[in-house]
Short mmCIF file of all heavy atoms in Angstrom, two decimals:
data_model
loop_
_atom_site.label_atom_id
_atom_site.label_comp_id
_atom_site.label_asym_id
_atom_site.label_seq_id
_atom_site.Cartn_x
_atom_site.Cartn_y
_atom_site.Cartn_z
N ALA T 290 11.38 22.36 -1.66
CA ALA T 290 9.95 22.63 -1.59
C ALA T 290 9.20 21.31 -1.46
O ALA T 290 9.42 20.38 -2.24
CB ALA T 290 9.49 23.38 -2.83
N ALA T 291 8.30 21.23 -0.49
CA ALA T 291 7.52 20.00 -0.30
C ALA T 291 6.56 19.80 -1.47
O ALA T 291 5.81 20.72 -1.81
CB ALA T 291 6.76 20.08 1.02
N PRO T 292 6.56 18.62 -2.09
CA PRO T 292 5.66 18.40 -3.23
C PRO T 292 4.19 18.34 -2.85
O PRO T 292 3.33 18.59 -3.68
CB PRO T 292 6.12 17.04 -3.79
CG PRO T 292 7.47 16.80 -3.20
CD PRO T 292 7.47 17.49 -1.86
N GLU T 293 3.89 18.01 -1.57
CA GLU T 293 2.51 17.74 -1.20
C GLU T 293 2.03 18.54 0.01
O GLU T 293 1.06 18.17 0.67
CB GLU T 293 2.33 16.24 -0.92
CG GLU T 293 2.66 15.38 -2.14
CD GLU T 293 2.49 13.90 -1.87
OE1 GLU T 293 2.34 13.52 -0.69
OE2 GLU T 293 2.52 13.12 -2.83
N ALA T 294 2.72 19.65 0.32
CA ALA T 294 2.32 20.45 1.47
C ALA T 294 2.83 21.88 1.31
O ALA T 294 3.82 22.11 0.60
CB ALA T 294 2.85 19.84 2.76
N PRO T 295 2.21 22.85 1.97
CA PRO T 295 2.64 24.24 1.86
C PRO T 295 3.80 24.55 2.80
O PRO T 295 3.70 25.40 3.69
CB PRO T 295 1.37 25.01 2.24
CG PRO T 295 0.67 24.11 3.19
CD PRO T 295 0.95 22.71 2.72
N VAL T 296 4.91 23.88 2.63
CA VAL T 296 6.07 24.06 3.50
C VAL T 296 7.34 23.92 2.66
O VAL T 296 7.36 23.19 1.67
CB VAL T 296 6.05 23.05 4.67
CG1 VAL T 296 6.14 21.62 4.15
CG2 VAL T 296 7.15 23.33 5.67
N ALA T 297 8.39 24.65 3.06
CA ALA T 297 9.66 24.62 2.32
C ALA T 297 10.80 24.88 3.28
O ALA T 297 10.60 25.37 4.40
CB ALA T 297 9.65 25.67 1.21
N LEU T 298 11.99 24.55 2.83
CA LEU T 298 13.21 24.96 3.51
C LEU T 298 13.85 26.06 2.67
O LEU T 298 13.80 26.03 1.43
CB LEU T 298 14.18 23.80 3.68
CG LEU T 298 13.74 22.66 4.58
CD1 LEU T 298 14.79 21.55 4.61
CD2 LEU T 298 13.44 23.16 5.99
N ALA T 299 14.45 27.03 3.34
CA ALA T 299 15.07 28.15 2.63
C ALA T 299 16.28 28.64 3.41
O ALA T 299 16.33 28.54 4.64
CB ALA T 299 14.07 29.30 2.46
N THR T 300 17.24 29.17 2.69
CA THR T 300 18.36 29.88 3.32
C THR T 300 18.03 31.36 3.25
O THR T 300 17.83 31.92 2.17
CB THR T 300 19.68 29.59 2.59
OG1 THR T 300 19.98 28.20 2.69
CG2 THR T 300 20.81 30.38 3.23
N VAL T 301 17.94 31.99 4.43
CA VAL T 301 17.54 33.40 4.50
C VAL T 301 18.50 34.18 5.41
O VAL T 301 19.16 33.60 6.26
CB VAL T 301 16.10 33.55 5.03
CG1 VAL T 301 15.11 32.89 4.08
CG2 VAL T 301 15.95 32.97 6.43
N ARG T 302 18.54 35.46 5.22
CA ARG T 302 19.37 36.31 6.07
C ARG T 302 18.83 36.35 7.49
O ARG T 302 17.66 36.13 7.74
CB ARG T 302 19.48 37.71 5.48
CG ARG T 302 20.32 37.78 4.19
CD ARG T 302 20.56 39.23 3.77
NE ARG T 302 21.17 40.00 4.82
CZ ARG T 302 22.49 40.02 5.09
NH1 ARG T 302 23.32 39.26 4.39
NH2 ARG T 302 22.96 40.77 6.07
#
Side-chain angles (χ1 to χ4, degrees):
E293 300 180 348
V296 63
L298 295 178
T300 298
V301 297
R302 289 188 56 82

